[in-house]
Amino acid sequence: MRSFSRTRIVLTTTAVALAALVAACSSPPPPAPPPVVQAPPPPPPITLSTSLVERASAFRGYMTRAAAVSSTFQNGDQIQASLKVGAAYEPKSFLNGAVAYAAVLALQDPTFVSSVREVAANAAQRQQMIANIFSNPSYATVFKGSDSAAGLIIDTIGNDGLKVYMAGKAVKQSAYDVQKASWSKSFVVDRDGRLASAKTLSNTPALAESADVAVLQSASTGGQSLGLTPRTAPAPYQPVVIRGLAVAALAALGAAGDDNLTSIDALSNDPGTSNCLSMAKLNLYQCLAVAKPHYEDIFCLGQHILMDTGACMVKAAGASLPPEPPPPPKPEPVSTKKKVAAKKGSAKKPAAKKS
């Protein structure tokens, strides 16, 4: 009996030892794989419709050509050629082009763009911000860097408008100076035809140059810079500036492509600037309708095309026109009493009587 128990104990001990040995030699089970985490989708690329870039280029091209109009005229053909250059914009598309150009300028500010792109990384926030901007363009001013992006718009478009305005002042002055030449007093040939031409040009949207479109397209999507230096400009901003910031923000959110053009056109409307440009055109038509000699056409060109259009854009940007010099003082008329007093003062007093 003792032998059986001893054998049982030995067998049990051996089994336990073998089990321990097997457990020690076996490898542990592999760890569970980590959970698969889906990376968030990347934000959409910066998108600015080619149509918007073409409008921006057309606006920029007109402002460059208008500012280059010379104030030196030697014949009527030169005047008519300059009238065609100045009249060649349609107010609505011109205004849309100004807003589109403002957007391209705002996209040159890296702080503004990166701030908008932070929102673009979250799909829900991106869609909410897009809806907010379309309903109220002022939402674009909440982004960091909007003040320096606004400074780019104000300085660039304001300076372009000032150049056109100053060119107009020089042309307007030449309308008086040129009257010394006999040819300037001759009547314009086909006055009705040149008025009709001005109206046709005023109803035809200006065209962009392909080379300039490529430059602005690259600049608006993070490519070649326009080489501008941002300047902080405090609010409040004029509507064209706000709308330019809004379109730029939509572009950085990936929402300023061809599929949103209709909504962007509605967003770009600024009644104040639109009325200003339309009034400049109306005054031009009225001026040309009554102008007869060449020097009067020069006046119409200087005042109602260049000066009025330039002033509209300076105001639209929130910039300032230079103060006008005060008029020369008029000689003060001598009153009747002063004349009488002067005569009395000049008369010799009678000699005193001798006592």
Side-chain angles (χ1 to χ4, degrees):
M1 190 68 179
R2 286 183 179 177
S3 174
F4 176 76
S5 299
R6 190 179 300 114
T7 302
R8 187 176 181 181
I9 293 172
V10 170
L11 289 176
T12 302
T13 304
T14 303
V16 172
L18 287 173
L21 181 62
V22 170
C25 294
S26 63
S27 59
V36 178
V37 178
Q38 287 282 70
I46 299 173
T47 306
L48 191 63
S49 167
T50 301
S51 296
L52 293 176
V53 180
E54 288 174 349
R55 295 174 190 175
S57 176
F59 170 81
R60 186 164 87 150
Y62 172 85
M63 298 297 281
T64 300
R65 291 188 296 273
V69 170
S70 173
S71 60
T72 303
F73 299 101
Q74 298 177 343
N75 53 61
D77 290 341
Q78 290 180 343
I79 299 169
Q80 297 310 309
S82 295
L83 277 170
K84 290 179 179 179
V85 170
Y89 75 84
E90 187 275 319
K92 182 179 179 180
S93 62
F94 187 72
L95 174 57
N96 286 342
V99 173
Y101 186 43
V104 173
L105 295 171
L107 288 169
Q108 304 309 292
D109 190 296
T111 303
F112 177 71
V113 173
S114 62
S115 178
V116 178
R117 296 292 285 169
E118 290 178 5
V119 174
N122 183 297
Q125 290 182 359
R126 180 173 69 248
Q127 293 303 322
Q128 184 61 53
M129 182 55 69
I130 291 171
N132 290 342
I133 291 174
F134 274 124
S135 63
N136 184 357
S138 296
Y139 268 96
T141 62
V142 305
F143 292 105
K144 183 179 180 181
S146 62
D147 52 355
S148 51
L152 283 174
I153 298 172
I154 295 168
D155 289 350
T156 305
I157 294 183
N159 188 53
D160 290 347
L162 181 60
K163 288 179 181 178
V164 173
Y165 177 84
M166 295 307 293
K169 286 198 72 172
V171 170
K172 181 180 176 181
Q173 180 59 44
S174 73
Y176 301 100
D177 298 339
V178 79
Q179 293 180 41
K180 299 173 185 177
S182 58
W183 68 264
S184 72
K185 300 174 185 177
S186 301
F187 280 12
V188 175
V189 178
D190 190 16
R191 293 173 52 238
D192 292 339
R194 67 96 159 77
L195 174 57
S197 174
K199 290 182 177 180
T200 299
L201 290 168
S202 298
N203 289 308
T204 305
L207 299 177
E209 296 183 6
S210 58
D212 191 50
V213 170
V215 170
L216 295 183
Q217 185 76 66
S218 175
S220 65
T221 54
Q224 182 180 357
S225 170
L226 296 179
L228 304 174
T229 303
R231 172 190 66 87
T232 299
Y237 306 123
Q238 292 297 314
V240 166
V241 178
I242 293 174
R243 284 152 175 72
L245 290 172
V247 176
L250 290 170
L253 293 167
D258 294 334
D259 53 339
N260 281 331
L261 270 180
T262 301
S263 298
I264 290 174
D265 285 347
L267 179 149
S268 300
N269 183 40
D270 170 24
T273 302
S274 179
N275 290 339
C276 185
L277 294 170
S278 296
M279 186 58 67
K281 290 290 188 178
L282 179 60
N283 288 334
L284 170 64
Y285 303 153
Q286 292 176 345
C287 187
L288 291 178
V290 299
K292 294 181 179 180
H294 291 301
Y295 68 81
E296 290 183 349
D297 266 15
I298 298 176
F299 177 88
C300 297
L301 168 65
Q303 178 64 61
H304 298 304
I305 292 182
L306 300 177
M307 288 184 68
D308 288 357
T309 301
C312 287
M313 297 321 302
V314 169
K315 182 179 179 181
S320 301
L321 291 171
E324 291 291 329
K330 294 181 180 180
E332 183 180 351
V334 181
S335 66
T336 304
K337 290 183 179 181
K338 287 184 178 180
K339 289 181 180 179
V340 173
K343 288 181 179 180
K344 288 183 178 180
S346 60
K348 291 184 178 179
K349 293 181 179 181
K353 292 181 180 181
K354 294 182 179 179
S355 54

